[in-house]
Amino acid sequence: MLVFYKTFEDGTRKIAEPEPGCWINAVAPTEEERNFLIEQIGILPEFVKSSLDEEESSHIDYDDDFRQVLIIFDYPSAENEDDDSIDSTYSTLPIGIVILKGYVVTISLYENWSILEMSQGRIKGMDTRLKTRFFLLLALRISQRFLICLRQIDRLSSRTETRLHQSVENDELIEMLGLEKSLVYFSTSLKSDEVTLSKIMRGKQIQLYEEDEDLLEDVMIEIHQAIEMCNIYSNTMAGTMDTFASIISNNMNIVMNKLTVITIVMAIPNIIFGFYGMNVQLPFPFVWFPSFVAILACVIATVYFFRHNMFK
């Protein structure tokens, strides 16, 4: 899908055909649309291919001959964006921003909230003609989206931890593991985004204007905050998982201890009745005597184990 936007005096709105100074948004483009970007707009084929690669990490690439800049930036993605859902799983996906003469182009495999907000004109100060500022505003929205997703992960982990306090089940542990994996994805992508922004800050590939420097600093602050939150949540969740792993191990030891004590107590009558089952002469050949001895031995063993806290 290809959609064209351009900022006019009265705001940003959709246009029918690409014009100089417009923004081209390509989401899961078809083969025909990819050819249009390459042949009509002039984007390098490798730039289009890199933008549509789900495994592509955040980086910046520059081509001197065609004077094009490709910025791959990772953004957070959730299968279920509902705050009240405990089954939300998070990952990161790349979006490609191509800056070339006359156009700024965003290429991605999936829709994302940041692009949707920009296309609806919710971003203050957005101007498709100011390509550097456009990218920085998009990066700012993505970094803020990271913070929102991190807070959602924290709420989900707190709910799961509460459920674990009541009953330690496999489902809750699997949910905690999924959230921990999400934090690993976030941490890796945020650090890659930070490196990319640091290269942009040097001003070699993209020309930075004076009014853009403050915006870039804001983006860096948001990224640093997201990295710090991600590290804190990761450490907290790792400690929680270790604690509950110890609880599970301790509960298993308690159960095994009780079963061992019960087995010992139940084995005493078998030993006594085993003696009277042998074909030899034994004293007190009465039915009640081995039963009485077995019961007495079981009571003595039970009292002994209780006094030594073996049943707790």
Side-chain angles (χ1 to χ4, degrees), residues 150 183 186-187 190 225-234:
L150 284 170
L183 290 174
F186 277 19
S187 178
L190 284 167
Q225 183 180 353
I227 292 174
E228 185 176 351
M229 288 176 60
C230 194
N231 291 334
I232 293 173
Y233 293 159
S234 294

Side-chain angles (χ1 to χ4, degrees), residues 71-117:
I71 305 170
I72 300 292
F73 211 74
D74 289 339
Y75 67 92
S77 174
E79 291 185 6
N80 191 342
E81 299 263 357
D82 185 4
D83 291 352
D84 296 328
S85 175
I86 197 70
D87 299 323
S88 295
T89 56
Y90 297 84
S91 61
T92 58
L93 293 170
I95 181 173
I97 302 97
V98 182
I99 298 176
L100 68 163
K101 185 178 180 180
Y103 306 101
V104 58
V105 185
T106 55
I107 307 173
S108 60
L109 278 173
Y110 307 99
E111 285 279 7
N112 66 82
W113 278 102
S114 301
I115 291 294
L116 183 62
E117 288 176 342

Side-chain angles (χ1 to χ4, degrees), residues 1-5 23-30 33-34 37 43 48 51-52 95-96 104-111 115:
M1 178 183 68
L2 291 181
V3 186
F4 313 106
Y5 301 91
W23 161 37
I24 303 174
N25 181 31
V27 178
T30 62
E33 291 171 340
R34 296 180 193 180
L37 293 174
I43 302 176
V48 176
S51 301
L52 297 174
I95 181 173
V104 58
V105 185
T106 55
I107 307 173
S108 60
L109 278 173
Y110 307 99
E111 285 279 7
I115 291 294

Side-chain angles (χ1 to χ4, degrees), residues 18-294:
E19 301 176 3
C22 77
W23 161 37
I24 303 174
N25 181 31
V27 178
T30 62
E31 188 67 28
E32 182 180 353
E33 291 171 340
R34 296 180 193 180
N35 292 333
F36 175 83
L37 293 174
I38 295 171
E39 297 172 4
Q40 302 297 324
I41 304 301
I43 302 176
L44 294 175
E46 54 268 28
F47 284 3
V48 176
K49 183 179 179 181
S50 297
S51 301
L52 297 174
D53 185 1
E54 287 191 34
E55 304 300 325
E56 195 77 16
S57 59
S58 179
H59 68 276
I60 183 170
D61 198 1
Y62 180 76
D63 187 274
D64 291 319
D65 296 333
F66 293 89
R67 295 189 176 277
Q68 297 182 20
V69 178
L70 169 66
I71 305 170
I72 300 292
F73 211 74
D74 289 339
Y75 67 92
S77 174
E79 291 185 6
N80 191 342
E81 299 263 357
D82 185 4
D83 291 352
D84 296 328
S85 175
I86 197 70
D87 299 323
S88 295
T89 56
Y90 297 84
S91 61
T92 58
L93 293 170
I95 181 173
I97 302 97
V98 182
I99 298 176
L100 68 163
K101 185 178 180 180
Y103 306 101
V104 58
V105 185
T106 55
I107 307 173
S108 60
L109 278 173
Y110 307 99
E111 285 279 7
N112 66 82
W113 278 102
S114 301
I115 291 294
L116 183 62
E117 288 176 342
M118 297 190 77
S119 64
Q120 293 176 349
R122 301 180 187 176
I123 310 301
K124 183 180 179 180
M126 189 189 80
D127 192 331
T128 58
R129 296 166 294 185
L130 305 177
K131 292 173 281 189
T132 302
R133 187 172 185 83
F134 177 90
F135 161 71
L136 293 176
L137 286 171
L138 176 59
L140 182 62
R141 294 304 302 167
I142 290 175
S143 61
Q144 291 171 346
R145 193 68 192 173
F146 267 114
L147 294 174
I148 293 174
C149 291
L150 284 170
R151 294 188 185 98
Q152 291 175 353
I153 289 175
D154 183 49
R155 286 196 294 270
L156 291 175
S157 64
S158 297
R159 295 180 192 175
T160 307
E161 185 177 344
T162 302
R163 292 164 59 190
L164 280 171
H165 280 295
Q166 299 171 356
S167 174
V168 181
E169 300 289 346
N170 290 335
D171 292 341
E172 285 76 14
L173 292 174
I174 291 173
E175 289 171 6
M176 292 289 285
L177 179 61
L179 294 176
E180 194 172 14
K181 288 173 60 178
S182 299
L183 290 174
V184 172
Y185 296 147
F186 277 19
S187 178
T188 304
S189 296
L190 284 167
K191 290 177 181 178
S192 299
D193 289 345
E194 182 186 23
V195 172
T196 301
L197 290 172
S198 298
K199 292 180 180 179
I200 294 173
M201 187 174 285
R202 301 189 189 105
K204 294 182 179 180
Q205 288 86 4
I206 298 179
Q207 184 178 359
L208 290 175
Y209 300 94
E210 184 176 353
E211 58 271 17
D212 295 330
E213 294 180 358
D214 292 338
L215 183 56
L216 179 56
E217 290 180 1
D218 292 340
V219 178
M220 292 294 291
I221 290 172
E222 296 287 337
I223 290 290
H224 290 156
Q225 183 180 353
I227 292 174
E228 185 176 351
M229 288 176 60
C230 194
N231 291 334
I232 293 173
Y233 293 159
S234 294
N235 294 334
T236 302
M237 197 170 296
T240 302
M241 293 285 287
D242 292 340
T243 300
F244 281 107
S246 300
I247 292 174
I248 292 172
S249 178
N250 185 56
N251 291 341
M252 183 176 293
N253 291 335
I254 293 173
V255 171
M256 293 302 297
N257 183 64
K258 290 181 178 180
L259 290 175
T260 302
V261 171
I262 293 172
T263 302
I264 294 173
V265 174
M266 296 297 293
I268 294 175
N270 291 331
I271 296 173
I272 296 173
F273 291 131
F275 286 129
Y276 279 85
M278 294 185 294
N279 192 20
V280 295
Q281 185 67 31
L282 292 173
F284 307 106
F286 306 106
V287 175
W288 58 267
F289 181 76
S291 301
F292 173 76
V293 173

